[in-house]
Amino acid sequence: MKRCLSILGSTGSIGTQTLDVVRGLGLRVCALAANSNITLLENQIREFKPELVAVFDIDAAKKLKIAVADTPVRVVGGMEGLCEAAAFSGADLIVNAVVGMVGLKPTLAAIAAGKDVALANKETLVAGGSLVMKAAKENSVRIFPVDSEHSAIFQCLQGCPEKKALKRLILTASGGPFLGKTKEELRDITPQQALKHPNWNMGAKVTIDSATMMNKGLEIMEASWLFDMPSSKISVVVHRESVVHSMIEYEDNSVIAQLGLPDMRIPIQYAVTWPQRVPSPVGQLDLTDYGKLTFYKPDSETFTCLAACRKAIERGGLAPAAANGANEVAVKLFLNQQISFLQIGELVAQAMENQPDVREISSIDDILNADTYAREYVLKAAGK
């Protein structure tokens, strides 16, 4: 079991739940990082007493430094500070729970420092999968999935005798708040409606991604890199109850599934304690409480983000980075009521299609340039 953690994104949904796990296991926290919520971050500093804290927002970092001047913690800022926290020498495990492309550089910094990474930042692998997995292999670093679906697959694979026995990965999707809706019914959806997820408690961006099913497209890309599987062997099934978190299928058509209550502390804890299993703060699953579990095919015609991601994977190169960058901007515009719900998928597809073909990614600059290109495309197309 890991002894000391560095948690990036500690004030967000995954970050605060990671700290719940830390409390339960009695682990130490040697570094924390957040974007700008210094009020909560100060409380975390006083409770967990980390040696280092990074705040991405430089002005907020300056304010925090004054607020915690009575403690021995060292406060750093910006991307440089985030990468310092990711590579902190005293950490056994880096939990990357930041949201968006901002998580890519810290992941690479952690790997370069030889740190194992518990990855909740799916954009890291979506945009930079080739660079990240290559660096992880070169530095003998393990990447533990924290997303519930990828953790489920990782758990199922613990009993896999050999890679060639594996036939297919099956990701489950809740369907979000709009399962069964038509495009016409989605035309006037508001941010408030889209933020009401039926099963999971998540941050705003991830919740909107669930509503558009963009999250499942991103997860296909992430799973492809994590488990070295072509996207053609990764299926998606809508499972409304969010009890079956994902499945694997063997060559003999036997299917193994991981089940549990929809609570992120299970995958977080497994990433921290692997290969051990220890008592969890999450409640026990009683299938009789559900009575039945349902499964449906995803509607890619209505939820176009899923189809756009599939196409991005097929194109390869920088197309996934473009799709991801476009989505981040489009979601922000939607939350600010500057575009409609359906425009998110339209803009993601357009920005991805307009990304020039590049088969080989030679550096992180290639990825960041594609990301910037896609973001600018979306802003221009939306008239911003």
Side-chain angles (χ1 to χ4, degrees), residues 221 311-313 315-324 351-352 355-358 370:
M221 299 187 219
K311 192 159 188 180
I313 301 168
R315 286 189 62 195
L318 294 168
N324 177 72
M352 184 273 297
Q355 174 63 45
D357 280 323
V358 176

Side-chain angles (χ1 to χ4, degrees), residues 191-353:
Q192 291 71 28
Q193 290 172 309
L195 287 168
K196 293 180 180 177
H197 196 281
N199 300 333
W200 293 96
N201 176 25
M202 306 177 290
K205 194 265 182 184
V206 180
T207 304
I208 299 302
D209 283 351
S210 178
T212 63
M213 289 203 74
M214 180 71 184
N215 70 322
K216 215 49 53 180
L218 297 176
E219 286 168 12
I220 293 170
M221 299 187 219
E222 184 181 6
S224 181
W225 286 112
L226 274 173
F227 306 112
D228 190 26
M229 287 285 281
S231 61
S232 59
K233 293 187 177 182
I234 304 173
S235 302
V236 173
V237 61
V238 176
H239 167 52
R240 195 58 174 164
E241 295 78 16
S242 296
V243 169
V244 178
H245 298 302
S246 277
M247 298 166 268
I248 63 172
E249 183 179 55
Y250 286 118
E251 282 294 340
D252 61 0
N253 291 329
S254 175
V255 175
I256 308 294
Q258 188 266 332
L259 285 70
L261 294 179
D263 191 312
M264 285 303 300
R265 290 174 296 178
I266 291 177
I268 291 168
Q269 179 166 298
Y270 191 63
V272 172
T273 65
W274 179 90
Q276 295 173 291
R277 297 277 189 175
V278 298
S280 158
V282 180
Q284 189 174 17
L285 174 65
D286 185 345
L287 289 172
T288 62
D289 289 341
Y290 292 85
K292 65 178 181 178
L293 301 177
T294 57
F295 302 90
Y296 309 93
K297 291 183 179 180
D299 181 359
S300 298
E301 291 185 12
T302 300
F303 298 93
T304 55
C305 283
L306 185 56
C309 286
R310 286 277 192 193
K311 192 159 188 180
I313 301 168
E314 291 169 7
R315 286 189 62 195
L318 294 168
N324 177 72
N327 179 65
E328 288 191 24
V329 175
V331 168
K332 190 174 291 185
L333 291 173
F334 170 68
L335 287 171
N336 291 332
Q337 301 184 7
Q338 294 176 294
I339 64 171
S340 71
F341 180 79
L342 290 177
Q343 279 182 285
I344 297 174
E346 293 168 2
L347 290 168
V348 166
Q350 291 168 16
M352 184 273 297
E353 293 281 6

Side-chain angles (χ1 to χ4, degrees), residues 133-196:
M133 298 310 290
K134 180 183 177 185
K137 185 176 181 180
E138 290 173 349
N139 289 276
S140 300
V141 163
R142 293 189 184 97
I143 297 180
F144 299 105
V146 170
D147 271 352
S148 61
E149 297 84 358
H150 302 93
S151 175
I153 290 171
F154 180 60
Q155 292 179 60
C156 290
L157 287 172
Q158 299 308 300
C160 183
E162 53 187 345
K163 176 71 185 300
K164 68 179 183 181
L166 192 61
K167 182 178 181 180
R168 184 170 57 128
L169 308 181
I170 306 168
L171 300 175
T172 57
S174 69
F178 307 131
L179 178 65
K181 299 285 187 185
T182 64
K183 274 194 175 182
E184 189 58 38
E185 291 173 313
L186 295 175
R187 202 164 297 283
D188 298 317
I189 288 296
T190 66
Q192 291 71 28
Q193 290 172 309
L195 287 168
K196 293 180 180 177

Side-chain angles (χ1 to χ4, degrees), residues 110-129:
I111 292 171
K115 304 294 181 182
D116 288 345
V117 179
L119 191 62
N121 173 257
K122 59 173 63 73
E123 293 84 358
T124 285
L125 290 180
V126 168

